[in-house]
């Protein structure tokens, strides 16, 4: 009797396990692993956002929406011929009246730091433009030079001195530029304040003075803040449109920030070979590239029919699904561009879900059943 029990006990255990396996397999096959609305959600999908299949029509609609966002009016920022520098409050002027050296010693000594001086804190001799934009000069009196170019300011001074000096020969130039500044921050080598001088302060000039872009800089996300307005500049997009970034003129008070590529990551998880966070390539990353850089869909546990993209949009969460087993799916995956902070998720196959569920219910049951069934 003892021998009989030893002989039939594995068979009974095998039958029970097989019945549980069949029930679990039927349950998993019927339910699958699709993203569905939870119980109690209404017909309009109030509980979970609807899933949109990735098709050629959806890709075209996404492309048109992306182009509308990129078509920000930057025409007033682009200047073909930058205007000459205009004198402003705080500037220090060097004024020389030839054959009249007695007029050269009446300039005021600047008490603040000279931005362009080689020695920090070294005062620059010259005529300081006061906060009202005026300069006091012998015989000429008070001159309003703010808003004038060097040539216009020289002509005004000559006309005043002509009342007392016959044919005055005057040289006037800006010795220290202190009235206009911009600030550049972010992924540049030398962030900080930059003084606007006689060389036009364009976007490329500002980036060059800041030492250039860091390797981690995102050329597609350069923010320009001016007068409480924000402009998003994509250097690559400007070049593709035939706009020279060197013609984007910066003005006094502008703030330029170069964002990092680490701020625009895409997260790939689920049944892929190597789940990871991916960095976008200057604002560009397709679904196909994201899957490829993650090693692709796992051939053992991944379900190629259920590749999801979860996106947080202003109107709410959006979910896109790609059936990678369809004809032309790879071409659609290459054309589907991801957004920063997108989540790419590959669901598990029904067989993988069944195996995991069984392993949780009966740890080692499948291995024992297969071993018991062997002769």
């Amino acid at each position: 009797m003892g021998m009989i029990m030893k002989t039939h006990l594995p068979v009974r255990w095998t039958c029970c396990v097989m019945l549980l396996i069949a029930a679990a397999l039927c349950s998993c096959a019927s339910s699958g692993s699709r993203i569905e609305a939870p119980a109690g959600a209404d017909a309009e999908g109030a509980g979970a956002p609807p899933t949109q299949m990735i098709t050629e029509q959806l890709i075209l609609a996404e492309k048109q929406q992306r182009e509308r966002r990129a078509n920000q009016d930057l025409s007033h920022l682009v200047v073909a011929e930058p205007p000459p520098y205009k004198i402003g409050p705080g500037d220090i002027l060097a004024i020389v009246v030839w054959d009249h050296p007695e007029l050269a010693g009446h300039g005021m000594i600047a008490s603040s730091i000279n931005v362009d001086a080689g020695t920090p804190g070294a005062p620059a001799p010259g005529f300081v433009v006061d906060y009202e934009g005026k300069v006091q000069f012998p015989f000429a009196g008070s001159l309003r030079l703010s808003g004038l170019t060097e040539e216009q300011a020289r002509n005004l001074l000559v006309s005043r001195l002509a009342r007392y000096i016959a044919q005055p020969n005057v040289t006037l130039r800006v010795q220290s530029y202190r009235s206009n500044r911009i600030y550049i921050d972010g992924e540049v080598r030398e962030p900080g304040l930059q003084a606007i001088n006689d060389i036009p302060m364009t976007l490329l000039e500002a980036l060059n003075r800041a030492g250039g872009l860091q390797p981690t800089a995102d050329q597609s996300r350069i923010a320009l803040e001016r007068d409480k307005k924000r402009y998003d500049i994509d250097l690559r997009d400007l070049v593709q449109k035939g706009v020279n970034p060197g013609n984007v003129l910066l003005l006094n008070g502008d703030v330029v920030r170069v964002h990092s590529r680490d701020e625009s990551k895409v997260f790939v998880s689920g049944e892929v070979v190597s789940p990871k966070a991916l960095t976008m390539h200057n604002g560009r990353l397709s679904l196909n590239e994201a899957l490829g850089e993650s090693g692709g869909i796992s051939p053992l546990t991944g379900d190629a029919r259920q590749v999801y993209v979860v996106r947080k949009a202003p109107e709410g969460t959006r979910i896109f699904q790609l059936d990678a087993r369809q004809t032309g799916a790879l071409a659609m995956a290459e054309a589907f561009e991801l957004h920063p902070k997108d989540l790419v998720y590959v669901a598990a196959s029904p067989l993988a879900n069944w195996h995991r569920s069984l392993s949780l219910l009966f740890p080692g049951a499948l291995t024992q059943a297969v071993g018991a069934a062997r002769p």
Side-chain angles (χ1 to χ4, degrees):
M1 185 65 179
M3 294 297 294
I4 295 176
M5 293 297 295
K6 292 181 180 179
T7 303
H8 292 281
L9 182 58
V11 177
R12 294 177 181 178
W13 172 248
T14 303
C15 294
C16 293
V17 171
M18 290 302 179
L19 290 175
L20 291 173
I21 290 174
L25 181 60
C26 293
S27 176
C28 292
S30 61
S31 62
S33 57
R34 298 181 180 273
I35 300 179
E36 299 178 350
D42 55 16
E44 298 181 356
T51 301
Q52 298 177 268
M53 295 299 299
I54 298 179
T55 60
E56 294 183 358
Q57 292 77 10
L58 176 64
I59 293 174
L60 180 60
E62 288 287 313
K63 180 180 179 181
Q64 294 175 350
Q65 184 178 4
R66 184 169 57 253
E67 289 177 351
R68 285 194 297 268
R69 289 195 303 265
N71 288 336
Q72 189 178 13
D73 186 15
L74 303 177
S75 58
H76 59 285
L77 301 179
V78 180
V79 179
E81 296 182 2
Y85 180 83
K86 294 183 179 181
I87 300 172
D91 287 344
I92 302 177
L93 307 179
I95 303 175
V96 177
V97 181
W98 297 95
D99 297 329
H100 293 274
E102 69 278 5
L103 301 180
H106 294 274
M108 300 294 294
I109 300 298
S111 58
S112 60
I113 296 177
N114 180 14
V115 174
D116 294 338
T119 304
F127 294 85
V128 182
V129 182
D130 61 18
Y131 70 97
E132 293 183 346
K134 297 180 180 180
V135 169
Q136 297 288 337
F137 195 81
F139 298 120
S142 180
L143 301 174
R144 183 178 295 275
L145 302 182
S146 180
L148 302 180
T149 64
E150 291 182 349
E151 183 179 0
Q152 292 172 341
R154 188 190 69 83
N155 294 336
L156 177 60
L157 181 58
V158 168
S159 63
R160 290 286 187 92
L161 293 179
R163 303 174 185 176
Y164 308 97
I165 302 174
Q167 298 180 349
N169 186 9
V170 178
T171 299
L172 184 147
R173 64 180 182 86
V174 179
Q175 183 172 340
S176 182
Y177 299 88
R178 306 192 306 173
S179 60
N180 299 325
R181 300 182 184 182
I182 63 103
Y183 184 80
I184 186 168
D185 189 19
E187 298 302 309
V188 292
R189 301 185 186 278
E190 299 178 4
L193 284 172
Q194 295 183 9
I196 300 178
N197 52 24
D198 56 332
I199 300 177
M201 180 64 76
T202 62
L203 179 59
L204 290 186
E205 178 69 19
L207 295 176
N208 181 61
R209 293 188 190 181
L213 298 174
Q214 295 276 16
T216 56
D218 189 349
Q219 298 184 19
S220 66
R221 298 186 62 201
I222 299 180
L224 170 60
E225 297 183 5
R226 175 184 298 175
D227 297 333
K228 299 182 179 180
K229 293 183 180 180
R230 178 188 175 95
Y231 304 93
D232 295 321
I233 300 176
D234 186 343
L235 291 182
R236 294 179 55 188
D237 186 63
L238 286 181
V239 174
Q240 292 177 358
K241 293 179 179 179
V243 179
N244 185 3
N247 293 335
V248 178
L249 186 64
L250 302 181
L251 302 180
N252 179 39
D254 284 354
V255 178
V256 178
R257 176 171 176 79
V258 181
H259 289 272
S260 172
R261 290 192 293 128
D262 293 336
E263 300 176 14
S264 303
K265 287 189 175 182
V266 171
F267 306 95
V268 184
S269 64
E271 304 306 317
V272 292
V273 176
S274 178
K276 62 178 64 175
L278 302 176
T279 302
M280 304 186 75
H281 311 300
N282 290 323
R284 299 289 188 271
L285 187 68
S286 66
L287 177 57
N288 192 32
E289 291 173 333
L291 293 174
E293 294 185 21
S294 301
I297 302 174
S298 174
L300 300 178
T301 60
D303 188 352
R305 299 170 300 175
Q306 301 186 69
V307 179
Y308 297 98
V309 177
V310 183
R311 176 177 301 164
K312 186 65 176 178
E315 62 273 13
T317 303
R318 302 181 64 186
I319 299 178
F320 307 95
Q321 180 182 353
L322 174 69
D323 186 352
R325 298 178 60 180
Q326 291 183 350
T327 304
L330 293 180
M332 289 189 293
E334 180 63 28
F336 188 82
E337 293 197 15
L338 301 175
H339 292 189
K341 307 300 182 183
D342 275 359
L343 170 63
V344 179
Y345 177 79
V346 179
S349 63
L351 182 61
N353 284 330
W354 162 75
H355 184 274
R356 292 169 183 173
S357 301
L358 186 63
S359 299
L360 292 175
L361 292 175
F362 302 98
L366 184 60
T367 303
Q368 294 180 13
V370 174
R374 293 178 179 175

